[in-house]
Amino acid sequence: MQKKDLFKMIPQVEEILKYSSIEELDYSRSLKTEAIRDVLDEIRGKIIKSNDDEIRKLESQIKFDNIIVMVEERLYSEFSPSLLKVINGTGTILHTNLGRSLLDDSIKEEIWNIISSYSNLEYDIAEGKRGSRYSHVTKMIKLLFGVEDALIVNNNAAAVFLVLNTFAKDKEAIVSRGELVEVGGAFRIPSVMAMSGANLIEVGATNKTRISDYEDAITEETAVLMKVHTSNYKMIGFTDSVSNRELKELGNKYDIPVMEDLGSGVYYNMEEYGLPHEPTISESIKSGIDLITFSGDKLLGGPQAGIIVGKKEHIDKMKKNQILRALRVDKFTLAALECTIRMYFDEEKAKKNIPTLRMITSTPEELFEKAKILKDKIDERNTVINVYIEDGKSTVGGGSMPGEEFDSKVVVLNGESLTADRIEEGLRLSKAHIIGRIKDDKYMLDLRTLNEKDFDTIADAIENCFPRR
Ligand SMILES: *Cc1c(COP(=O)(O)O)cnc(C)c1O
């Protein structure tokens, strides 16, 4: 067989289009034609490049049935969803790469009811006239945190931007050098401040900033005093920073608003669960600070959003800022946030039904029970993988509580002649897309971030990837 014979074997586009299994596929003719052309072009390219050995191999590949399969696979892969469910066995709860906070099944119906119907998003039912989308969650936030008013935007970066743009555009905002953080995704506080049009005035030294440093920097142009919670790193040793209360007193003295970018926005005191102290939203509010911003999908455990709470006069001013339109949230976010915030009125319910809180507050004893269930399921399968339950360490992640690990339970998976990397890759590329962790050359899944409803899927994936023959 020669190259020219191979070229002759390639079917016509029309012939493939008419073939029953291709004809039945639910894609438009033009999409199918494009996929067929791509496959045939690839084959022609291979023929051109082939040597004598390869010509023989190609001869069997170019069979009509094989080409049909190639076309089908191409269409499936191009049109399969890109956004996929994964199973998080890393033990990092707010895993930025894996979608940060999760929403609970229990609020599914309520959210769906709002987003699949018309709603009173911007309609006042009592008055029968136009309402405000910013009125909905606000009522509940005011009740929960005891604040004068609140505003919801797309995320916390947008919240910081909006505050600075509204109050400090073409003016000065004073911030400590020790708080100029980068929070991942290359989002830097100084850059956002600059984009907002605020002139950033850095004061103090990296490790120490005193109240006098802020006071010395105040000029006619000073419009905001800013505090940023250094949520993703910890400074230890010879350090000092100014408390919210001190900064608020200074703000009062010069009549300058004080804002705090709190980052995580935690409601309950996490010390009860063996975690380090993370300033709570209520603590910041009590300090009297004028405006506080935090994320909806970090420790609060809701959808992606930026929440601004504080004095009504300041929130009103931000509502008039035209840029708000570009930062506004969808009804989906508002519905999910309202469901999440409502659960906070009952602490037990919140810990049970907000996945982020549920994972944080799970005890090692509970995780051990979960580990046994998973181990049993895997042991029942026909697989070469052995399972051991061991002690492990989880992290909160999402730039919260840096360096803090807390006790967890993991299942370690191994199998003769299988390296940890091989197990990791097999399970990651499996249909279940299980993302685990390798530590000391051992592959493990942390029970803290696993959901029991996925245990059968995990056991099936292990059996499929590593069957006993
Ligand atoms: C996470 C974080 C942000 C960014 O919040 P997003 O909701 O991701 O936009 C800003 N500031 C601090 C201190 C943070 O920790």
Side-chain angles (χ1 to χ4, degrees):
M1 172 115 6
Q2 289 181 331
K3 284 191 183 184
K4 69 173 193 314
D5 303 313
L6 285 179
F7 281 121
K8 274 190 207 143
M9 284 174 69
I10 297 177
Q12 299 286 314
V13 173
E14 202 57 33
E15 205 181 330
I16 301 176
L17 274 173
K18 278 201 214 117
Y19 187 76
S20 59
S21 76
I22 298 288
E23 190 159 47
E24 281 163 15
L25 287 177
D26 200 14
Y27 301 107
S28 73
R29 194 184 156 86
S30 63
L31 285 175
K32 288 185 204 173
T33 307
E34 202 178 303
I36 295 167
R37 291 222 167 97
D38 287 348
V39 167
L40 298 185
D41 281 349
E42 229 167 69
I43 293 171
R44 285 192 195 95
K46 274 193 197 160
I47 298 174
I48 291 169
K49 277 193 277 173
S50 60
N51 56 31
D52 287 351
D53 262 1
E54 287 162 347
I55 287 183
R56 225 160 303 131
K57 253 186 257 156
L58 278 172
E59 190 187 337
S60 60
Q61 272 181 30
I62 302 177
K63 299 247 161 65
F64 189 76
D65 287 354
N66 279 344
I67 292 179
I68 295 294
V69 172
M70 283 160 81
V71 171
E72 284 170 353
E73 279 174 358
R74 188 161 197 111
L75 281 163
Y76 289 140
S77 77
E78 268 170 26
F79 289 92
S80 62
S82 161
L83 204 50
L84 298 169
K85 167 179 170 168
V86 306
I87 291 174
N88 178 7
T90 64
T92 300
I93 299 170
L94 299 175
H95 200 303
T96 308
N97 302 145
L98 305 184
R100 236 142 84 168
S101 272
L102 315 180
L103 300 179
D104 195 64
D105 279 345
S106 63
I107 59 177
K108 195 160 62 181
E109 213 169 305
E110 197 171 335
I111 297 173
W112 189 248
N113 195 26
I114 295 301
I115 62 179
S116 66
S117 311
Y118 290 111
S119 64
N120 63 340
L121 181 65
E122 293 190 352
Y123 185 76
D124 185 328
I125 294 175
E127 300 286 329
K129 60 177 199 210
R130 185 168 214 256
S132 163
R133 77 172 56 217
Y134 297 108
S135 66
H136 300 288
V137 201
T138 311
K139 206 168 57 189
M140 219 149 355
I141 291 180
K142 288 200 295 205
L143 265 175
L144 185 68
F145 299 119
V147 286
E148 282 185 18
D149 208 353
L151 186 57
I152 316 297
V153 290
N154 189 45
N155 56 15
N156 188 31
V160 172
F161 177 91
L162 181 65
V163 173
L164 292 171
N165 183 265
T166 305
F167 295 95
K169 186 168 184 287
D170 301 324
K171 299 205 188 99
E172 293 175 354
I174 302 179
V175 65
S176 158
R177 282 208 174 82
E179 298 176 358
L180 294 171
V181 299
E182 169 168 326
V183 291
F187 165 76
R188 289 190 170 148
I189 290 293
S191 313
V192 170
M193 293 182 76
M195 303 286 280
S196 73
N199 192 1
L200 177 64
I201 307 296
E202 302 170 21
V203 297
T206 306
N207 57 335
K208 279 205 181 216
T209 305
R210 300 181 182 81
I211 194 71
S212 56
D213 295 323
Y214 289 89
E215 187 157 16
D216 291 347
I218 291 177
T219 68
E220 287 281 286
E221 294 301 307
T222 307
V224 169
L225 302 178
M226 183 176 183
K227 263 202 82 79
V228 182
H229 177 51
T230 54
S231 48
N232 59 359
Y233 73 101
K234 200 159 57 171
M235 282 208 288
I236 49 175
F238 188 59
T239 63
D240 208 354
S241 65
V242 168
S243 74
N244 285 1
R245 225 174 268 280
E246 281 175 285
L247 201 60
K248 179 57 192 156
E249 277 167 21
L250 185 66
N252 284 348
K253 186 167 158 192
Y254 292 91
D255 197 22
I256 300 169
V258 182
M259 76 160 292
E260 181 178 29
D261 172 10
L262 202 51
S264 276
V266 64
Y267 184 72
Y268 299 116
N269 185 352
M270 287 291 138
E271 279 165 311
E272 279 175 45
Y273 304 99
L275 286 165
H277 182 74
E278 171 89 6
T280 65
I281 301 164
S282 308
E283 281 168 16
S284 281
I285 291 166
K286 281 199 197 103
S287 73
I289 283 210
D290 298 280
L291 288 167
I292 298 159
T293 74
F294 52 93
S295 292
D297 60 342
K298 284 189 181 169
L299 288 170
L300 195 72
Q304 178 190 305
I307 301 167
I308 310 171
V309 297
K311 304 250 152 62
K312 185 172 184 322
E313 56 170 315
H314 298 316
I315 300 274
D316 279 344
K317 209 169 159 199
M318 284 189 280
K319 281 185 184 166
K320 293 196 189 100
N321 188 334
Q322 289 292 311
I323 200 73
L324 181 59
R325 176 72 184 217
L327 312 176
R328 81 175 191 180
V329 286
D330 181 48
K331 55 189 172 298
F332 173 83
T333 305
L334 290 170
L337 192 59
E338 192 155 78
C339 290
T340 305
I341 301 261
R342 192 180 316 112
M343 284 195 269
Y344 271 94
F345 289 94
D346 178 342
E347 187 163 347
E348 283 315 306
K349 205 170 153 190
K351 285 174 195 161
K352 194 166 141 265
N353 291 337
I354 299 175
T356 299
L357 294 184
R358 185 168 60 223
M359 288 186 238
I360 288 178
T361 58
S362 299
T363 62
E365 293 72 38
E366 287 164 353
L367 297 174
F368 184 62
E369 294 306 313
K370 245 172 106 179
K372 284 197 288 192
I373 297 170
L374 178 59
K375 176 177 161 48
D376 285 347
K377 284 196 191 280
I378 301 169
D379 284 342
E380 281 165 17
R381 306 295 154 121
N382 190 32
T383 171
V384 293
I385 294 281
N386 304 308
V387 190
Y388 308 90
I389 300 174
E390 289 188 3
D391 292 336
K393 296 277 186 193
S394 314
T395 54
V396 174
S400 304
M401 304 184 182
E404 292 300 334
E405 295 187 320
F406 52 131
D407 292 334
S408 186
K409 296 287 169 192
V410 297
V411 289
V412 172
L413 307 184
N414 68 18
E416 246 177 276
S417 77
L418 284 171
T419 62
D421 285 331
R422 175 73 194 86
I423 297 174
E424 190 279 331
E425 184 185 58
L427 296 181
R428 171 164 46 85
L429 297 179
S430 74
K431 270 200 201 116
H433 304 302
I434 301 165
I435 316 295
R437 186 170 83 206
I438 295 176
K439 194 169 174 255
D440 304 330
D441 278 334
K442 288 195 282 194
Y443 178 85
M444 57 189 73
L445 297 172
D446 190 320
L447 271 297
R448 194 176 288 280
T449 49
L450 293 181
N451 191 328
E452 217 172 304
K453 74 178 182 197
D454 294 324
F455 283 4
D456 281 311
T457 310
I458 295 171
D460 286 345
I462 290 171
E463 182 173 13
N464 283 333
C465 285
F466 308 107
R468 191 197 311 277
R469 300 206 192 272

